Amino acid sequence: MSLNLDALEQHLTTRSYIEGYTPSQADVHVYNLLTAPEPSKYPHSARWYSHIKSYAAEHATLPGSSTAGQAFVQSASAPAAAADDEDEVDLFADDDEEDDAEAERLKAERVAAYNAKKANKPKAAAKSVVTLEVKPWDDETDMQALEDSVRSIEQEGLVWGASKLVAVGYGIKKLQITVVVEDELVSLDDLQEKVAEFDDYVQSSDIAAMQKL
């Protein structure tokens, strides 16, 4: 089996993960079948690969299943099978002009129906996935209490995701936490101000990464 890197790159152009808004077994499944992508050719896949690699110690315990990752796996026989299908189509092709005209008419009707349905469909709210880093005062700060305080912030359009502690130095660790926000409902500046209110634990916070969904 091999990965369809082009399809993976296209998928990750507008997404941070294989499925959902946090790392899952789908990411682990694809990661295990992949070597580090070339950043110049697959920049989004390379970014995703480095991010999932940082969760290496947690791969076995990440939630979800590998099902979504199967979409990017192709078997070695796939090209040959495709070639066989093309041969069959050419062998049994119908040259009847009336059938071709009818097929084109049906195709045009389906395209028109799809476009009409798409035009009437409500637009999804614009969202962003943000990686927020929260720094404590020192190595004696209760990091669990710090994270609980941050997660206690609730408002419409805000969903907290996965988190981990990242070593800073001198025994100090910072909280790195993922949050999905609806752009029209949540101001990141306001969110950081709310985080700063927990000044018993929080020294400062930064937006480490942000990507539109």
Side-chain angles (χ1 to χ4, degrees):
M1 294 189 297
S2 62
L3 279 177
N4 187 333
L5 262 175
D6 290 330
L8 180 64
E9 177 68 14
Q10 183 177 2
H11 178 80
L12 294 172
T13 298
T14 57
R15 299 171 178 84
S16 294
Y17 302 102
I18 299 301
E19 181 179 40
Y21 303 127
T22 58
S24 69
Q25 289 302 316
D27 295 283
V28 174
H29 179 72
V30 176
Y31 174 89
N32 288 336
L33 293 174
L34 187 65
T35 54
E38 184 180 344
S40 61
K41 188 175 182 181
Y42 302 106
H44 299 290
S45 298
R47 167 194 55 74
W48 167 86
Y49 184 88
S50 297
H51 184 56
I52 299 305
K53 185 178 181 180
S54 72
Y55 286 90
E58 306 168 44
H59 279 185
T61 58
L62 288 176
S65 70
S66 63
T67 303
Q70 296 288 349
F72 304 100
V73 179
Q74 57 186 10
S75 65
S77 60
D84 289 343
D85 290 343
E86 289 177 2
D87 289 343
E88 290 183 4
V89 171
D90 290 341
L91 182 61
F92 297 104
D94 186 352
D95 294 329
D96 189 285
E97 292 183 0
E98 291 184 1
D99 288 348
D100 289 345
E102 178 65 13
E104 287 298 321
R105 185 184 66 79
L106 289 174
K107 180 180 178 181
E109 288 179 356
R110 289 170 182 167
V111 170
Y114 171 79
N115 289 335
K117 182 178 179 181
K118 186 176 180 180
N120 293 327
K121 185 177 180 180
K123 292 185 178 180
K127 295 181 180 181
S128 299
V129 58
V130 178
T131 301
L132 180 68
E133 291 185 343
V134 185
K135 298 177 183 176
W137 288 107
D138 52 37
D139 60 341
E140 295 183 358
T141 300
D142 186 336
M143 295 304 293
Q144 185 59 57
L146 184 151
E147 180 174 348
D148 291 343
S149 298
V150 171
R151 288 185 181 275
S152 71
I153 299 172
E154 296 181 352
Q155 70 177 93
E156 185 179 359
L158 183 150
V159 179
W160 294 107
S163 66
K164 64 178 180 177
L165 297 179
V166 180
V168 177
Y170 303 101
I172 301 174
K173 294 182 178 181
K174 62 184 176 182
L175 172 68
Q176 189 177 87
I177 186 167
T178 300
V179 58
V180 176
V181 299
E182 288 191 28
D183 298 341
E184 292 187 359
L185 298 178
V186 180
S187 163
L188 293 181
D189 289 338
D190 291 346
L191 178 60
Q192 286 186 269
E193 288 181 7
K194 291 180 181 179
V195 170
E197 291 176 3
F198 301 111
D199 52 8
D200 286 343
Y201 311 111
V202 177
Q203 180 193 93
S204 64
S205 66
D206 296 295
I207 304 298
M210 178 178 177
Q211 183 176 346
K212 298 293 184 182
L213 292 178

